Amino acid sequence: MKHIPSKFSRWLTNYGMLPKDVIYDYPRVTMIGNIHLYIENHKGLLSFDETTITVKQDQGKIIIQGKQLVIKNLLAEEIVIEGVIDNVSWESST
Amino acid sequence: MSYRGNVEVVVKGGQVESFLNNLIEDGVKVEQIKRIDDQIVKMNVDYLAIPYLKATRKQYGCKLKFNDRSGIPTMYSKRKKWLPPLIGVVLSFLFILLLSNVVWNITVEGGSPETRYEVNQLLDTLGLKEGNWVQNMEDISTIEREIMNSIDEVSYVGISKSGSSYNILIEESETMEQNVNRDPTNLVASKAGTVDSMFIVNGRPVVQINDFVEKGDVLVTGELDEDGEVLTYAEGEVIAEVWYEVNVEVDFSQYLLALTPDATKRYSVSLFNSFEWMPRGAGDRRLLLSQDRPIYFLNWELPISFHEHYFYTEEEAISEVDLDNHIHQAVEEQLKRQLGQSVDVTYQKVLHEERYSDKVKLEMFVKVLEDITEEQIIDQGD
């Protein structure tokens, strides 16, 4: 939905009651406590090890830091991470 | 665990991230990705994807090593040698279990052929039938009671169970032989009353219908002539009208619960007769009857058994209780209990009535028709 103008998409989410992740094409990140993290709509895996996992997204990357991180499941659209998650940060390239 | 085969792959060197991204773009599902050190990454992949992995690994400079396999197809191939015989043994045990719970043979012994036939017919309806499930039949004591009650000729029934065959032994009652040499007897009145009707089988009646007799009066004599030389036994019935004064107490509270005619059936399973589990609860219904259905293995009863329960729904009071009618019924019941089942109540009058909260005390005068004869041996003086 890149073709939707930004003004119009803001209007859509504010007044059209549409979820933001659909309109802006953002990844949706869901966490269960600090042991389980679920990212939908990612754009690929950049790098990973036991303490840091970097996931590519549309305008940058998501960095997950923690201990004993394991990628439980990896699919084209979603990624499930388990372990002790300390920090989730957002790095925007724009 | 996956129902498809999974392989643990160790990837060494190269651009692992790009390799993974390429895999997922092409729809390969990758699980349990874990970095061991800078060079080595472990992951689980569907084993059907192995050729694809092998084909693309060179583009990213990765070395692959395949470790453990898991999932049902691999589990099966690992157990190929001993699994089929095990399944066979289990199946044959189940088969024996199944066959142990079937009635295989029924033999009826004793009695005349007619009675045996009748007993056989009755057994069929009670579920004791060749080829039937043991659980479907009534239990043995019920069958015995049922045979005794419904076939008059049978005086004894013994059912013995050996394995899955049943042996039924019946004993027929012999018809009483007429004892010609019975002692000479009279029939005397056991109670005072007015003779209503007579049925004399043997002997000479000395009273007539509508005669009033006192207790101990001779009703039918065994002396056939006046001198007392020809003696015989007296047999028969003398129905007389007898008066009683009885006290009856009727309790109303017992009429406040009405039963719905249809019972709800529920099954339960129990282990060692203690841990009982009923899949569909009975709610707040009241238990009417429960029957045990043991499960057999060859000759043994297994600790697991299942039970049949019948529940009925209790409903609150009948809105309009016909009290007078109920009193009448209850009085009749109690009279029969006090005076015997065969009496015929011809007249009843309440002399005194006392009512409590839910009880009625009645003092009654009743006229009853009953057999008042009592046998008395004629003393011949020797």
Side-chain angles (χ1 to χ4, degrees):
Chain A
M1 283 182 211
K2 280 169 193 155
H3 54 275
I4 300 177
S6 69
K7 261 191 182 173
F8 182 59
S9 58
R10 205 174 300 133
W11 183 87
L12 263 183
T13 52
N14 284 343
Y15 304 104
M17 298 296 194
L18 286 172
K20 285 182 173 140
D21 57 332
V22 178
I23 300 303
Y24 289 105
D25 198 29
Y26 277 158
R28 170 185 280 256
V29 183
T30 314
M31 265 182 100
I32 300 171
N34 65 342
I35 55 160
H36 189 107
L37 187 121
Y38 178 70
I39 304 172
E40 277 169 278
N41 201 12
H42 70 91
K43 296 282 180 269
L45 197 61
L46 285 176
S47 76
F48 71 98
D49 57 35
E50 274 206 307
T51 53
T52 317
I53 295 174
T54 316
V55 180
K56 197 177 156 204
Q57 53 131 326
D58 217 23
Q59 292 125 3
K61 49 193 174 182
I62 305 169
I63 303 158
I64 298 111
Q65 284 169 315
K67 292 182 258 309
Q68 296 139 33
L69 297 180
V70 172
I71 301 172
K72 196 89 183 157
N73 236 324
L74 184 62
L75 289 167
E77 289 276 283
E78 53 189 69
I79 177 166
V80 179
I81 296 167
E82 281 191 350
V84 184
I85 296 154
D86 294 332
N87 188 17
V88 181
S89 54
W90 200 271
E91 209 169 89
S92 211
S93 54
T94 50
Chain B
M1 192 179 68
S2 148
Y3 66 93
R4 302 180 70 176
N6 261 351
V7 191
E8 195 186 82
V9 189
V10 179
V11 187
K12 206 173 175 186
Q15 303 156 277
V16 186
E17 284 83 4
S18 312
F19 182 48
L20 280 172
N21 285 336
N22 181 46
L23 283 181
I24 57 173
E25 260 168 44
D26 287 311
V28 178
K29 198 178 170 189
V30 192
E31 286 170 344
Q32 300 285 0
I33 307 165
K34 204 175 175 184
R35 189 177 280 282
I36 306 300
D37 58 40
D38 277 358
Q39 292 293 306
I40 302 166
V41 170
K42 266 188 186 174
M43 62 193 197
N44 282 6
V45 179
D46 186 340
Y47 84 131
L48 292 177
I50 291 175
Y52 184 77
L53 258 73
K54 281 181 175 167
T56 47
R57 70 166 182 99
K58 276 181 187 161
Q59 295 174 30
Y60 303 96
C62 298
K63 282 181 183 170
L64 299 181
K65 201 182 146 204
F66 299 100
N67 270 358
D68 268 351
R69 293 201 282 170
S70 64
I72 284 174
T74 26
M75 266 173 70
Y76 177 72
S77 61
K78 272 183 190 168
R79 292 157 179 77
K80 224 174 200 166
K81 271 188 185 154
W82 51 268
L83 200 62
L86 183 77
I87 292 174
V89 168
V90 169
L91 280 182
S92 60
F93 264 92
L94 283 178
F95 194 58
I96 295 172
L97 187 71
L98 219 63
L99 296 186
S100 304
N101 286 290
V102 173
V103 179
W104 282 110
N105 188 25
I106 300 169
T107 45
V108 181
E109 276 173 31
S112 62
E114 293 87 8
T115 330
R116 281 208 292 274
Y117 177 76
E118 245 179 284
V119 168
N120 263 325
Q121 294 284 84
L122 191 62
L123 288 178
D124 272 11
T125 62
L126 293 173
L128 186 50
K129 193 174 171 183
E130 276 160 23
N132 207 346
W133 295 110
V134 174
Q135 282 77 23
N136 270 352
M137 74 184 211
E138 304 285 333
D139 59 86
I140 285 176
S141 54
T142 316
I143 292 177
E144 284 180 342
R145 187 163 14 93
E146 203 60 31
I147 293 174
M148 290 284 284
N149 288 345
S150 48
I151 302 175
D152 291 334
E153 292 91 68
V154 176
S155 66
Y156 167 79
V157 190
I159 300 180
S160 59
K161 176 181 186 297
S162 57
S164 52
S165 63
Y166 290 82
N167 187 33
I168 293 129
L169 187 73
I170 46 178
E171 204 77 53
E172 252 177 297
S173 54
E174 282 154 34
T175 41
M176 284 268 278
E177 259 179 65
Q178 284 255 300
N179 190 357
V180 193
N181 306 321
R182 277 164 71 173
D183 283 334
T185 50
N186 283 338
L187 290 181
V188 297
S190 61
K191 289 160 190 168
T194 313
V195 177
D196 182 77
S197 62
M198 290 193 287
F199 177 66
I200 312 299
V201 179
N202 202 10
R204 183 167 58 91
V206 288
V207 289
Q208 282 180 325
I209 287 169
N210 291 334
D211 278 0
F212 177 75
V213 291
E214 289 285 352
K215 186 183 174 184
D217 283 359
V218 176
L219 302 171
V220 182
T221 177
E223 293 172 24
L224 292 182
D225 60 340
E226 301 295 322
D227 308 326
E229 282 171 1
V230 187
L231 293 171
T232 179
Y233 64 93
E235 194 185 332
E237 270 184 354
V238 176
I239 309 291
E241 202 175 56
V242 186
W243 306 292
Y244 288 103
E245 239 185 73
V246 284
N247 290 313
V248 178
E249 213 179 78
V250 184
D251 200 346
F252 284 129
S253 58
Q254 60 189 314
Y255 294 109
L256 294 178
L257 285 178
L259 304 185
T260 47
D262 36 19
T264 320
K265 200 170 169 185
R266 289 280 184 272
Y267 291 100
S268 71
V269 184
S270 74
L271 188 66
F272 295 108
N273 276 328
S274 47
F275 308 103
E276 197 168 340
W277 177 64
M278 203 183 296
R280 293 166 68 202
D284 49 0
R285 296 185 185 87
R286 191 179 279 259
L287 182 67
L288 182 67
L289 172 78
S290 51
Q291 281 177 314
D292 298 344
R293 304 278 185 231
I295 296 171
Y296 296 96
F297 185 79
L298 295 176
N299 265 341
W300 306 291
E301 217 173 276
L302 291 184
I304 297 173
S305 62
F306 74 97
H307 312 268
E308 242 173 59
H309 303 279
Y310 293 90
F311 292 95
Y312 60 83
T313 337
E314 243 172 13
E315 273 178 8
E316 279 292 305
I318 322 165
S319 50
E320 274 177 58
V321 185
D322 187 357
L323 278 185
D324 289 330
N325 194 23
H326 275 307
I327 290 178
H328 189 76
Q329 270 181 19
V331 164
E332 204 146 293
E333 251 169 53
Q334 290 211 8
L335 283 180
K336 289 211 161 158
R337 208 173 296 152
Q338 285 178 25
L339 306 175
Q341 285 294 325
S342 59
V343 302
D344 189 6
V345 178
T346 55
Y347 175 80
Q348 58 186 49
K349 188 180 167 60
V350 178
L351 299 177
H352 182 72
E353 188 181 314
E354 215 177 318
R355 288 199 184 216
Y356 303 54
S357 53
D358 54 357
K359 267 183 190 171
V360 176
K361 239 183 186 173
L362 299 169
E363 211 177 297
M364 299 184 73
F365 172 73
V366 279
K367 277 188 190 173
V368 158
L369 286 180
E370 66 174 314
D371 183 17
I372 57 164
T373 57
E374 195 179 49
E375 219 166 88
Q376 191 181 58
I377 293 170
I378 301 173
D379 188 12
Q380 284 169 294
D382 45 57

